[in-house]
Amino acid sequence: MPPSTRTLALLALLVVGVGLSFAFHAAAGDTQLTYEATAVEPGENPELVAGASPNVTDLNERLSDTPERYREPVLTAAANGSFEGSLSPELHTAIGDVETPYVAYDGGYYEWSLSTRGETTNATIEMRQTDPEPVFDAVARPVADAPAGVRTAVDEGTANGSGVRPGLFRQDGAYYAVALEDEAAALAGFASAVVGFVLTPVGRGYTAVALGLLAYRYREPTRDRLLTPRRAAAVAALALPVALAGTAVFESGSLSRFVTGPASATVVASGALAGVLAAQRRWALLAGATVGIGLLTTAAIAGALGVVGFVFGPLAVCFGIAAGLVPFGYGYWFARPAPEASAG
């Protein structure tokens, strides 16, 4: 006898859940940061140096989206050495957080200082043009004291790995700007890894629901209403061991992952319980279970992460409830009479 529709639906959920469980690993595996070391002379490529060194800001890039009419304070400071007065909100947004000692601007280097008065836009800008050599001497670090990845980049031109640090480095009288070879690709890879990180507990929640329901189907293949609230709670609780096992076997890092991942997966899987309660129209119990699981999850994440957990905890709960709409559908469906007379 061919498998029933319900069995096929559970197998599909299992495949999706297992696939999403490895979303982070797949995304992280495709993310490879490549750093390039470019030889630079003190008078060359100030934009490249600013992009590599954390002590130099590319002021032209900061001002690229600021209309010309708002740039007058910077023009005055560059021409006269300083400016004192009011900054437009647009200019203050562009340069208000520039705290590096040097800026690259219009092909040259300037010593930079910005001070504001209180929370107003009244400010003092000091820009004293300086020769490139003192800037390089001040911000460049010896290659010999840099991480091994930086030494590889300088020796071979490029290096892969998260251990490389961007910056301006010197070796045997020569200077090298070490920076990401393709910053846009690196940002895209980072975004993919974040998405994978978020989807991993979703996949483990789906996997737990599929495994729990398949187990009940195997035990009682002809039962019409397969799920009760108690069984649905057991299915949701299965997300804890599934997520803990996945974390232990496939992940490394801080111990907080053993709390945040399983907690998030359980919220997702608890959608099955919500579906059963909705099918039985037990609205008060549904509301109580939702609030209770949300509070427990937030408390667990806050305990693992500290104060920041009170921000990420509610976010994880809200996302888990949204992702739990799929288990909700399964819970609702399996709390209703089966359309087939028998199951496959």
Side-chain angles (χ1 to χ4, degrees):
M1 181 182 295
S4 68
T5 302
R6 286 188 167 191
T7 299
L8 290 175
L10 289 175
L11 292 175
L13 180 63
L14 180 62
V15 171
V16 172
V18 171
L20 290 179
S21 296
F22 292 95
F24 173 72
H25 306 284
D30 292 337
T31 302
Q32 182 169 292
L33 300 178
T34 301
Y35 289 84
E36 182 178 21
T38 305
V40 291
E41 296 291 336
E44 299 176 347
N45 282 333
E47 293 81 9
L48 176 62
V49 173
S53 175
N55 293 310
V56 183
T57 297
D58 187 344
L59 198 57
N60 293 307
E61 181 181 15
R62 285 300 190 100
L63 296 173
S64 60
D65 295 329
T66 304
E68 290 284 347
R69 62 184 181 275
Y70 299 130
R71 300 185 189 181
E72 185 60 35
V74 173
L75 297 174
T76 300
N80 302 331
S82 66
F83 166 85
E84 186 170 354
S86 179
L87 307 181
S88 67
E90 293 80 1
L91 181 59
H92 188 268
T93 299
I95 67 173
D97 60 346
V98 176
E99 298 179 350
T100 56
Y102 302 99
V103 295
Y105 180 66
D106 280 355
Y109 293 96
Y110 291 80
E111 295 181 16
W112 171 267
S113 174
L114 170 66
S115 59
T116 58
R117 302 183 223 349
E119 297 182 357
T120 69
T121 56
N122 291 322
T124 299
I125 302 175
E126 293 185 1
M127 290 180 65
R128 291 182 293 274
Q129 191 165 13
T130 182
D131 293 331
E133 288 81 2
V135 177
F136 275 49
D137 290 340
V139 304
R141 292 175 289 165
V143 172
D145 298 338
V150 172
R151 298 195 294 271
T152 300
V154 170
D155 294 338
E156 302 178 8
T158 60
N160 297 325
S162 58
V164 186
R165 293 292 180 266
L168 183 65
F169 300 91
R170 62 176 181 272
Q171 177 175 265
D172 299 330
Y175 294 93
Y176 301 87
V178 177
L180 284 169
E181 187 177 49
D182 190 338
E183 188 171 350
L187 290 174
F190 176 76
S192 297
V194 170
V195 172
F197 182 84
V198 171
L199 290 180
T200 294
V202 174
R204 289 170 182 168
Y206 289 179
T207 300
V209 172
L211 290 176
L213 287 174
L214 283 170
Y216 283 128
R217 286 282 281 175
Y218 179 78
R219 284 175 51 189
E220 299 179 90
T222 61
R223 178 165 176 161
D224 278 347
R225 293 178 174 84
L226 188 65
L227 278 186
T228 63
R230 179 173 296 181
R231 286 185 168 194
V235 167
L238 183 61
L240 283 173
V242 168
L244 284 170
T247 302
V249 175
F250 299 108
E251 297 173 13
S252 61
S254 66
L255 293 177
S256 64
R257 281 293 293 158
F258 284 90
V259 176
T260 58
S264 300
T266 303
V267 174
V268 174
S270 66
L273 173 60
V276 173
L277 295 176
Q280 297 182 355
R281 301 183 182 278
R282 301 172 70 174
W283 306 118
L285 188 56
L286 172 60
T290 302
V291 173
I293 292 172
L295 290 176
L296 286 174
T297 301
T298 300
I301 293 177
L305 301 181
V307 177
V308 71
F310 288 104
V311 176
F312 287 105
L315 289 177
V317 170
C318 292
F319 183 80
I321 290 174
L325 290 176
V326 173
F328 178 92
Y330 277 82
Y332 191 94
W333 188 19
F334 280 89
R336 309 291 292 176
E340 300 98 343
S342 62

